[in-house]
Amino acid sequence: MTSVTSTVVRLKLSLLRNGLRQSGGRRAAYIASAVVTLLFAALQLLGLIALRGHAHAASLVVLLVAVLGLGWAVMPLFFPSGDETLDPTRLVMLPLRPRPLVRALLAASLVGIGPLFTLLMVAGSVVAVADGAAAYVVSVVAVVLALLVCVALARAVAAANIRLLTSRRGRDLAVLSGLVIAIGAQVVNFGVQRLGSSGLAQLDPVYDVLRWVPPAAAIGAVDSASEGSYGVAATQIALTAGALVLLVTVWSRSLTRLMTAPDGSTLQAAETATRDRGTSTTRLGRLLPAGRTGTVMERSLRYIWRDPKTKAAWVTSLAIGLIVPVFNALQGTGSIYFACFAAGMLGIQMYNQFGQDTSAFWSVAMTISSSRDAYVELRARALALLVITLPYATLVTVVTTALLGDWAKLPEVLGLSFALLGAMLSTGAWTSARFPYSIPQEGYKNVAPGQTGLAWIAIFGGMVAAALLCAPVIALTIWLNVSAGGDEWSWVLLPTGTAYGAAITLLGLRLAAPRTAARLPEILTAVSKA
C-alpha cells in the first residue's frame, strides 16, 4: 500500500513539472531564478566557511538563521499562491487523518529551491562556528532541526491563516509584498553599512538574545558545544526540538479545524461589511463637504482603502517617502531636502486619476456635462489627496529635521515640499485628462498592454513639468542660501511655497477641466482597456 507521504511528495513534483510545461517563458523564468538563487547560496556558503575562526562569527550566523526563520514565517502571507500544496483546503474532501497528512506535507515542503537554499545557509552557518568532534555531532542535529523548524513554521502560519489568504484581504496582502521587500532591502542596506563601519562586534548583544530563539538556537547550540558548554548546548537543542513539536501540534490542530469545521468567513465578512456601511459611511460623510465635492472625496478615499492596486500604490508611496529621508538621516549622509521626497512620492498619486476607475468611469462620465462639473470632480479628487499628503509631508519633514537637528531649515523645506506637491497636483490633473491609461485589476501589472508609452509620458513627462513649475521657488531658496543675511529671511519660503503651490494647483485644475469635459469618450475608452 502506497504511503500518504510518498503520494504527496510525488504530487508536489507533478505540480512543479506540470507548471513548467505550461509555457516556455515560465520554464525559462524558473530555471533562471533557480540558477541565480543557487549561485547566490553557493557564494554565501563559501563566505560563511571563510568566516570560520572569526571571533564574532557566531553573532553573524545566529542572526542570519533568525532572519531565515522570519522569512519562512512571512512567506506564506505574501506569496500564498507560490506553492499549491500550502493550501490544505484542497485536501479536505479526501479521507486523510491530520497526523499522516502533516508528515506528508512536511516531507513535500522539503522539495524546492527554498528548502535547498535554507539548507545551504544553515550548513554554512554551522561550519563557521563548529570546532571539535562534539560540535560536529551537534551540527548534524542542528541542521536538521533548524530546517524542519523553518518549514514547519511556514506550514503552521499558512494553515492558521488560509481563510484569510484565500480571501480578498489576503490578495490585498499579497499585492503589498513588494513593499515589504523594498523596506527589507533598505533595512539590510542600512545594517550592512553599519556593520562595515563598526564591525561584527556590535552584533554580540543581539546574539545573546537570539541564541535562545529557535531556529537560531540550534546554531547557538553548535557554538556552545564548540566552547565546551555541553549543558547549554543540550538546552538549546531541546528548545529547538520543543519549538518543532509545538509548531507541528499547532499545524495539526489547524488542519483538523479546516477539515472538520464549516467555512463561515464569507458570512462574517458580509455581516461586517454591512455594519461598516451602516456606520462608517455616515461618520466619514460628516467630516467631508456637502454636495458633489464630499461625494467624490469619499469615493476617492474609499478607493485608497479598498481597491488593492490603489492601496498598494499608496502604501508604497507612504513607506518610500519616509524611508528615503529617514534612513539617509540615520546613516549620517542625508540632507534635510530629502524630506521633499515624501511630497513627490505622494504627488504621483494624482496622475492617471481616471485610470483607477477602470470601466466604472462611465458612471462618473455620465455626471460630467460641462467644464464646471469636470472642475469640481478634479478639485474633489485633489482635496482627497491633500487630506493625506499635507499632514504626512509635514510629519516626514519634521522627523527628518529632528534627526538632523537642523531646525532653522524647517520653514524653507516645508515651503519647498508644499510647492512641489502643488506642482504635481497641477500636472497630474492635466495628464489625467490628456494621457489616461487603464490599470489591470488582476495580476501585478500596473499598465494595460499597449499603453506603456502613455504611462511613461504621463508620469515622467508630468514630473519634469512639475520640476519646471517649481523652478521659481527653488531659485528663491538657492538665492536665500547663498546671499549674505539670507538665513534671516528663509522663513519667507514657507508662506511663499504654500501660496505658490495652492495657486498652481488651482491653475492646473482650471486648465484640465475643459480638456476633461471635451475628451470624456476618449478617456472612457482608454481606461476601459483590459
Side-chain angles (χ1 to χ4, degrees), residues 23 53 59 86-87 130 143 201 286 290 320 350 367 380 423 426 453 468-469 473 524:
S23 66
S59 300
L86 277 175
D87 187 0
V143 168
R286 290 172 182 172
I320 296 179
M350 186 64 186
T367 65
S426 176
L468 294 176
L469 288 175
V473 181
L524 181 59

Side-chain angles (χ1 to χ4, degrees), residues 469-486:
L469 288 175
C470 287
V473 181
I474 296 175
L476 178 60
T477 303
I478 296 174
W479 181 76
L480 288 175
N481 278 274
V482 300
S483 62

Side-chain angles (χ1 to χ4, degrees), residues 274-502:
T274 303
R275 290 197 304 268
D276 290 344
R277 284 195 295 270
T279 57
S280 61
T281 301
T282 303
R283 193 183 312 120
L284 179 60
R286 290 172 182 172
L287 301 176
L288 301 175
R292 177 175 186 138
T293 299
T295 302
V296 176
M297 289 181 66
E298 182 175 357
R299 184 183 69 224
S300 298
L301 293 173
R302 290 195 178 278
Y303 271 152
I304 296 172
W305 180 249
R306 292 181 176 178
D307 181 65
K309 288 295 182 70
T310 306
K311 182 191 297 185
W314 268 93
V315 174
T316 302
S317 296
L318 289 169
I320 296 179
L322 177 66
I323 288 172
V324 171
V326 169
F327 271 66
N328 279 279
L330 290 174
Q331 292 172 3
T333 59
S335 168
I336 191 173
Y337 296 104
F338 281 175
C340 297
F341 205 82
M345 288 299 300
L346 296 180
I348 293 177
Q349 303 308 315
M350 186 64 186
Y351 291 75
N352 195 34
Q353 273 294 301
F354 307 126
Q356 67 182 3
D357 298 348
T358 61
S359 58
F361 178 70
W362 72 268
S363 62
V364 176
M366 294 295 292
T367 65
I368 299 177
S369 58
S370 64
S371 296
R372 173 64 184 175
D373 293 336
Y375 173 75
V376 175
E377 175 77 21
L378 289 170
R379 184 186 63 185
R381 292 180 183 238
L383 288 174
L385 265 68
L386 288 173
V387 169
I388 302 173
T389 55
L390 273 180
Y392 190 77
T394 304
L395 174 64
V396 171
T397 304
V398 171
V399 170
T400 306
T401 304
L403 291 174
L404 295 174
D406 195 2
W407 292 103
K409 297 286 187 181
L410 178 61
E412 66 178 80
V413 176
L414 276 176
L416 274 174
S417 294
F418 295 157
L420 175 61
L421 181 58
M424 298 200 74
L425 292 177
S426 176
T427 56
W430 191 86
T431 57
S432 293
R434 183 63 183 85
F435 303 109
Y437 57 89
S438 178
I439 302 177
Q441 294 301 297
E442 299 295 333
Y444 293 91
K445 293 183 178 180
N446 291 317
V447 182
Q451 294 185 326
T452 305
L454 280 176
W456 279 84
I457 293 174
I459 296 176
F460 291 99
M463 292 172 65
V464 172
L468 294 176
L469 288 175
C470 287
V473 181
I474 296 175
L476 178 60
T477 303
I478 296 174
W479 181 76
L480 288 175
N481 278 274
V482 300
S483 62
D487 292 341
E488 299 178 0
W489 293 93
S490 62
W491 62 269
V492 175
L493 284 166
L494 178 55
T496 301
T498 304
Y500 183 80

Side-chain angles (χ1 to χ4, degrees), residues 87-97 101 258-260:
D87 187 0
T89 59
R90 301 189 179 199
L91 306 175
V92 295
M93 300 302 293
L94 301 177
L96 301 174
R97 294 184 178 274
L101 184 59
L258 287 170
M259 299 174 75
T260 58

Side-chain angles (χ1 to χ4, degrees), residues 107-398:
S109 300
L110 298 174
V111 177
I113 300 175
L116 180 57
F117 175 83
T118 304
L119 177 62
L120 293 176
M121 292 294 96
V122 174
S125 298
V126 298
V127 170
V129 297
D131 184 17
Y136 282 111
V137 173
V138 174
S139 296
V140 176
V141 180
V143 168
V144 174
L145 284 177
L147 179 60
L148 291 178
V149 165
C150 288
V151 174
L153 180 59
R155 287 293 184 173
V157 171
N161 297 277
I162 195 63
R163 300 299 188 195
L164 169 66
L165 298 177
T166 54
S167 66
R168 184 181 67 84
R169 292 194 178 276
R171 292 190 293 271
D172 293 352
L173 190 63
V175 171
L176 300 179
S177 59
L179 170 64
V180 176
I181 294 174
I183 296 176
Q186 289 291 335
V187 172
V188 170
N189 178 55
F190 177 67
V192 169
Q193 291 188 9
R194 290 292 299 272
L195 289 177
S197 60
S198 305
L200 297 179
Q202 63 179 340
L203 294 179
D204 290 344
V206 179
Y207 164 78
D208 292 335
V209 175
L210 293 181
R211 64 192 292 230
W212 299 103
V213 179
I219 311 303
V222 178
D223 184 53
S224 298
S226 300
E227 296 176 352
S229 302
Y230 301 119
V232 175
T235 303
Q236 291 169 317
I237 288 292
L239 276 175
T240 309
L244 177 60
V245 172
L246 178 62
L247 289 171
V248 171
T249 302
V250 171
W251 181 15
S252 178
R253 291 182 178 179
S254 298
L255 284 177
T256 302
R257 185 170 59 253
L258 287 170
M259 299 174 75
T260 58
D263 180 13
S265 59
T266 304
L267 179 60
Q268 293 171 2
E271 293 174 350
T272 303
T274 303
R275 290 197 304 268
D276 290 344
R277 284 195 295 270
T279 57
S280 61
T281 301
T282 303
R283 193 183 312 120
L284 179 60
R286 290 172 182 172
L287 301 176
L288 301 175
R292 177 175 186 138
T293 299
T295 302
V296 176
M297 289 181 66
E298 182 175 357
R299 184 183 69 224
S300 298
L301 293 173
R302 290 195 178 278
Y303 271 152
I304 296 172
W305 180 249
R306 292 181 176 178
D307 181 65
K309 288 295 182 70
T310 306
K311 182 191 297 185
W314 268 93
V315 174
T316 302
S317 296
L318 289 169
I320 296 179
L322 177 66
I323 288 172
V324 171
V326 169
F327 271 66
N328 279 279
L330 290 174
Q331 292 172 3
T333 59
S335 168
I336 191 173
Y337 296 104
F338 281 175
C340 297
F341 205 82
M345 288 299 300
L346 296 180
I348 293 177
Q349 303 308 315
M350 186 64 186
Y351 291 75
N352 195 34
Q353 273 294 301
F354 307 126
Q356 67 182 3
D357 298 348
T358 61
S359 58
F361 178 70
W362 72 268
S363 62
V364 176
M366 294 295 292
T367 65
I368 299 177
S369 58
S370 64
S371 296
R372 173 64 184 175
D373 293 336
Y375 173 75
V376 175
E377 175 77 21
L378 289 170
R379 184 186 63 185
R381 292 180 183 238
L383 288 174
L385 265 68
L386 288 173
V387 169
I388 302 173
T389 55
L390 273 180
Y392 190 77
T394 304
L395 174 64
V396 171
T397 304
V398 171

